[in-house]
Amino acid sequence: SNVDTLSNKRSEFEAHLSIEKPHIIGLCEIYPKNSMDKSISSMLNLADYEKYLPDKVGDRGVVIYIHKSLTAFKVDILSESRFNESVWCEVKLEGTNQLLLGCIYRSPSSVSCNNKKLNDLICHARNLKYSHYLIMGDFNYPEIKWVDNEVSSGINTDPFKFYECMQNNFLFQHTC
């Protein structure tokens, strides 16, 4: 979910958690806009969840929460990528199955070189040998019409390249 500053929505978020009780949570835009103070890490703690943050603090921030009943750890090879608005974890599933879990925030004002880093990051993640993949976040590409499988911008644009990256990696959008 994109919370557009978690501190303003903490009570609403906790009320939702008490009803839904999810095992995995990914949040984008956890920090206030235009704020230099990113020191709210302790405020991000949730009872019964492990919190995973990127090593480098981005402008708006992402966080993954994984319920303590699951076995999980941070995947540093992806967290250290040059695209810093992402965090990645591995979650152990049944048997030998493992889930690669990523949470990404791409700003609407992201420049082409950063967009390429995002595509490269997704390709790299998808090439890792996991049985399951879940990449969540806010990618801010309104030009992509996922339901219609259409991109309203030309083939040499960043939205089209992102859409093509998803297709080439056999990924699809699922919203609920």
Side-chain angles (χ1 to χ4, degrees):
S1 180
N2 184 321
V3 293
D4 191 23
T5 311
L6 184 58
S7 59
N8 296 342
K9 299 173 182 78
R10 179 75 186 210
S11 59
E12 179 185 345
F13 176 58
E14 288 177 343
H16 181 73
L17 291 181
S18 69
I19 296 167
E20 296 295 325
K21 301 184 186 343
H23 285 88
I24 295 173
I25 303 163
L27 300 178
C28 297
E29 290 194 81
I30 58 175
Y31 301 127
K33 282 183 183 167
N34 305 318
S35 174
M36 299 306 287
D37 183 15
K38 310 291 188 202
S39 61
I40 61 170
S41 180
S42 63
M43 188 195 86
L44 297 173
N45 294 336
L46 285 177
D48 299 323
Y49 290 90
E50 290 293 332
K51 165 186 73 185
Y52 299 90
L53 293 163
D55 293 331
K56 290 173 43 178
V57 176
D59 292 334
R60 295 307 310 274
V62 293
V63 63
I64 292 176
Y65 294 101
I66 299 176
H67 194 270
K68 290 182 179 180
S69 64
L70 298 174
T71 302
F73 60 91
K74 191 170 177 183
V75 178
D76 289 324
I77 192 167
L78 293 170
S79 300
E80 294 170 0
S81 87
R82 292 176 287 156
F83 187 88
N84 63 0
E85 290 275 12
S86 72
V87 63
W88 297 82
C89 297
E90 179 179 305
V91 180
K92 180 156 177 40
L93 304 174
E94 290 184 18
T96 59
N97 290 323
Q98 296 175 329
L99 168 69
L100 178 63
L101 175 65
C103 186
I104 298 172
Y105 174 71
R106 181 196 156 274
S107 170
S109 60
S110 180
V111 295
S112 286
C113 64
N114 194 54
N115 296 336
K116 182 179 179 337
K117 290 176 190 177
L118 171 59
N119 293 350
D120 292 345
L121 173 64
I122 290 171
C123 289
H124 179 69
R126 189 61 179 91
N127 286 326
L128 296 175
K129 301 301 179 199
Y130 286 88
S131 58
H132 297 78
Y133 300 85
L134 175 60
I135 302 172
M136 54 189 159
D138 190 349
F139 301 98
N140 285 302
Y141 278 123
E143 302 88 350
I144 302 174
K145 308 300 180 215
W146 293 101
V147 173
D148 301 325
N149 290 315
E150 292 180 359
V151 182
S152 62
S153 58
I155 63 171
N156 292 322
T157 64
D158 289 337
F160 186 86
K161 291 174 185 175
F162 179 78
Y163 178 80
E164 190 173 54
C165 174
M166 296 291 110
Q167 298 293 304
N168 291 343
N169 286 288
F170 304 101
L171 298 170
F172 63 93
Q173 181 179 17
H174 175 77
T175 58
C176 48

